[in-house]
Every structure is written in C-alpha cells, then in structure tokens.
Amino acid sequence: MLRRGGEAQEIRNEGRYAKVERTQMSARRIKVKSSSGAYEAVCDAGALARLDEEIRKLGRFTSVHVVSSPKVWRSVGKTVLRGMRRRKPDEVHLFDDRESKKAMASVEQISRLLALGKADRGSLILAVGGGVVGDVVGFAAASYLRGVALVQIPTTLVSQTDSSVGGKTGVNLPEGKNLVGAFYPARLVIVDPLVLKTLSKREFRGGLAEVIKYGIIADAELFAYLEKNMARLLRREEEALNHVIQRSIEIKALVVSKDERESGLREILNYGHTFGHALESETRYRRYQHGEAVAWGMKAAALLGHKIGITKAGDVSRIVALIERLGPLPDWPRISDASLIAAMRTDKKARGNKLRFVLSKRIGKAATYDNVPLDAVKHALHFAPRLSVQRGSARG
C-alpha cells in the first residue's frame, strides 16, 4: 500500500498557489522568509542597472568580491560593472562552472581566491552565473570564515526561476548529486531577465523545463498559461517571459518560506529530479544540462504516477506534450535500469535505502510518496524513453 510522506508534504488547499495574492509583487520585489531573516528577490528587466543602489541598501562592506566563470563574465561582466558605477568590485574571481566541476575542489579554489583577495567577515560576495555558480559560490560563502554576506545574481533561466532562491547550496560527489552543502540564504537575489538574451537556445529551453515543473506541482493556471504561450516564450517575448519568471519565483518563495530545510513541503520542488539526478550522475554530467535531465525526469515521474494510480492519463498526456514542445532532448542513455535505480538510492529524499518520489495527483498538486513498488519504477524507466516524439541530440 502506498503511503504519503505526511500530510504536511502535500498542498492541502488545491487552489492555493493558483490563488496566491500578488500584492508582494507590486514592486517586483518578492519576500522570502528564512531562519536567518527575510530577504528579497528583485525581479525586473534592467534590475542590474540598479546594482549599486540595491547593494547600498544592504549596508556597508569592507570589500566586494565578484565570483563568476569566464564564459558568464564575458557575456554579462560589462553589464554588472556598469551597475556598480559607484562601488566597483575589489576583486573579480573566475572559476570553471561546468557541471563536472561542481565539486569540493572548486569550493577550495574559490575559498583560496577569496583569502588571496583579503576577503574578511565584513566582505560581500556576488555570485554571478547559472546554477553551478550559485550552488558552488553559495557553499563557499557559507563556509569561508564560517559565513560571509552573499548576493545571488542568476544569469540562466534555471537559476533565475529556481536555484537562486531558497538558500540551498552544495556540490556533487562521485556517489551522487548535491550530497554536500549547506542551507545559506543570500542577503539579496537580483533577477534581470534581460541577461537571458545571451543564453543559447539549448540553455534557454532547458530552463523552461523548471518552469513547467512549477505548473505541475503548484499552479494549474501557470501550466495552462504555458500551454497557451509556449511559442511566445520560445521567442523570448519579454511580457510572457517576465510573467513566468516572476510567477515561478513567487511559488518557490512561498514553498521555501514554509519549509526552509526541506523537511516536508519543499520536497515537491524535486518533481522529476529523482530520475533526473540519476541520469546526470550516471552520464558523468556530460550528456545533459540540468533542465534537460529534469525534463526526462518529469516524463518518468508522470509515467510512474500513472502506473501506481496517482496521475490520470490525461494529465500524463498534457505533461509529456508540453515538455515535447521545448524541442528535442539528448537521447536517453544506454544504461541499465539497475544502475539508474542504484543512483536514485543516493537521492536526498531516500530514507533507509527506500526510494521516495514526488508525484502529481493532478496538474497543480503534488506530494511525496514512499513505498513505491520497484516494478513500477522499472516500468517508468522502460517506457519513458519511448514517450519522446522528437529524437536526437539537442544543439544550439
């Protein structure tokens, strides 16, 4: 018999997220609660032009250190520096932000760069980049001198809508993804959708997978909006893009404000991630970008939900159809089900070596389930690759 992991892990009010009042969005400043104090996610086209002003509101700092990657800094460095006209950074530190470098060695590298740059406990670190930059630099900020002030400046759609908000930082181990890290909220998150113009088509489409996730787990109206406006989003039309970014952040902020340390409700943000993380780790982080792995993972989660009687066939069809509209994904790897299941056992949601999955009862509602039959998991792994109607490796 299936058992949900506690009623607190389910959104009991079915329309809750769809009906969230947007009063906090009036100034495009979304409040996020945390145990260390509330902070804001500023979401506005052109927000980076006001970087000086936003940093000044945080108080005085002995030094300001930017940490980014060479690729990101070439794309947005001038924009960031223009926004810091009155307070130029004391140092700009760069590191390799490939997923394969999301490791303890990078945390040590960044920490040493900060030490060489004379960063102290009164310093401020600006993490400028995508999800890897945010996670690794965030963990370094949490660890260096036992914690220095951090501002997240996400530059990819995945990081803007998901990873920069909520304070989760960390790195991968050979044994699994994000197994070492800390909950360390930024003092401020600055989301400027204009920087997304520099993203490749592949990176952008992968980011939209995380937006689809929010519709599946928390907001049926957002999901319907995506179905209606996907073509506009793929063209990166500003109005549509701003809407889904702000709505995604609002949902994330509400969830993490209620469950900062992922003891219950916050687990729903991992829809598709148990499968997706296994795909990433078993391909050594070389085949998929994170959003692509999550896209495959959401297909598998929808299938699994249907197999055990949680997700209706019509919702599975809608989920798969919307994901397909993102474009072709890198092919499913030739890896045994046993290997993928073994990788899934390292998932952070696992308890006592038992797999636990976030599944959607219906679009706009999700919960964590345990005691899922292994045969059902194997069924999902077997049929998920066959759900794709657009095959071939993604490029762009």
Side-chain angles (χ1 to χ4, degrees):
M1 181 177 178
L2 294 173
R3 179 169 60 83
R4 284 179 295 202
E7 282 299 310
Q9 291 167 265
E10 182 176 355
I11 302 173
R12 290 188 288 267
N13 180 350
E14 298 170 10
R16 185 178 208 161
Y17 291 134
K19 297 178 181 178
V20 169
E21 294 295 333
R22 286 179 166 79
T23 53
Q24 62 173 330
M25 296 286 293
S26 59
R28 295 182 174 87
R29 307 183 77 91
I30 304 168
K31 188 175 182 180
V32 189
K33 298 177 182 178
S34 79
S35 57
S36 57
Y39 60 97
E40 289 184 325
V42 178
C43 180
D44 193 15
L48 282 179
R50 305 190 304 274
L51 189 52
D52 264 338
E53 176 186 340
E54 296 294 348
I55 291 176
R56 192 164 56 249
K57 292 177 183 177
L58 299 177
R60 292 178 177 270
F61 299 97
T62 55
S63 61
V64 177
H65 296 254
V66 170
V67 187
S68 187
S69 75
K71 180 182 177 182
V72 171
W73 197 244
R74 283 194 299 271
S75 297
V76 304
K78 290 181 179 179
T79 302
V80 172
L81 292 176
R82 280 197 298 268
M84 300 179 71
R85 289 181 297 274
R86 298 181 184 85
R87 181 59 161 100
K88 295 294 184 185
D90 296 87
E91 298 281 352
V92 175
H93 311 286
L94 304 179
F95 79 105
D96 187 343
D97 68 345
R98 287 177 294 174
E99 184 71 33
S100 59
K101 298 295 183 179
K102 187 179 174 183
M104 290 298 296
S106 294
V107 177
E108 179 181 359
Q109 177 190 359
I110 292 166
S111 299
R112 294 187 67 187
L113 289 171
L114 292 171
L116 290 169
K118 303 294 190 291
D120 59 31
R121 285 179 174 168
S123 297
L124 173 68
I125 298 176
L126 307 183
V128 180
V132 172
V133 171
D135 279 4
V136 177
V137 178
F139 188 29
S143 305
Y144 183 74
L145 298 176
R146 296 182 175 87
V148 292
L150 172 70
V151 169
Q152 291 277 9
I153 302 177
T155 61
T156 65
L157 188 54
V158 169
S159 58
Q160 289 192 352
T161 58
D162 191 70
S163 59
S164 64
V165 175
K168 283 175 69 173
T169 70
V171 297
N172 306 329
L173 296 178
E175 291 75 19
K177 189 175 174 73
N178 294 330
L179 293 185
V180 180
F183 288 96
Y184 193 69
R187 295 278 300 279
L188 176 70
V189 180
I190 298 180
V191 175
D192 189 340
L194 293 182
V195 303
L196 299 179
K197 293 179 180 179
T198 66
L199 285 187
S200 70
K201 182 183 293 185
R202 181 182 179 186
E203 287 178 305
F204 182 79
R205 289 174 182 242
L208 283 175
E210 289 281 3
V211 179
I212 291 173
K213 176 197 74 176
Y214 283 112
I216 295 171
I217 67 169
D219 191 343
E221 289 183 7
L222 173 61
F223 192 92
Y225 182 91
L226 294 169
E227 289 178 311
K228 183 178 179 180
N229 294 280
M230 183 56 71
R232 295 177 62 205
L233 289 166
L234 292 172
R235 291 194 297 267
R236 309 191 199 194
E237 291 186 13
E238 187 172 316
E239 181 183 359
L241 189 56
N242 287 350
H243 173 73
V244 299
I245 291 174
Q246 290 180 29
R247 188 62 185 134
S248 297
I249 295 172
E250 187 179 28
I251 293 170
K252 178 75 178 279
L254 179 60
V255 172
V256 302
S257 293
K258 292 179 177 295
D259 178 20
E260 181 181 9
R261 295 184 176 265
E262 203 170 28
S263 59
L265 177 65
R266 185 169 180 166
E267 286 188 336
I268 67 171
L269 298 171
N270 290 311
Y271 182 81
H273 285 56
T274 302
F275 290 103
H277 285 171
L279 290 171
E280 287 182 283
S281 64
E282 287 302 293
T283 56
R284 302 296 184 265
Y285 306 103
R286 294 171 184 159
R287 180 184 291 256
Y288 304 103
Q289 293 185 352
H290 178 65
E292 295 169 339
V294 170
W296 273 123
M298 291 191 295
K299 289 184 181 184
L303 265 181
L304 176 61
H306 181 257
K307 178 66 175 176
I308 64 176
I310 299 297
T311 311
K312 295 180 181 178
D315 283 348
V316 175
S317 296
R318 289 178 69 192
I319 290 168
V320 172
L322 188 56
I323 293 170
E324 288 294 305
R325 291 176 65 186
L326 297 178
L329 299 170
D331 290 338
W332 189 276
R334 294 183 178 180
I335 295 174
S336 70
D337 291 352
S339 294
L340 289 170
I341 290 171
M344 284 190 277
R345 292 193 188 281
T346 69
D347 184 79
K348 298 185 299 299
K349 293 187 303 300
R351 299 289 186 272
N353 204 36
K354 292 183 179 180
L355 297 175
R356 302 169 71 242
F357 293 90
V358 178
L359 302 174
S360 176
K361 193 171 184 179
R362 57 180 167 276
I363 289 173
K365 187 180 182 69
T368 303
Y369 295 80
D370 54 17
N371 293 335
V372 175
L374 194 58
D375 285 347
V377 178
K378 292 178 179 178
H379 172 91
L381 291 172
H382 179 75
F383 286 102
R386 294 159 173 77
L387 283 176
S388 179
V389 297
Q390 301 183 64
R391 303 299 301 278
S393 298
R395 294 288 184 265

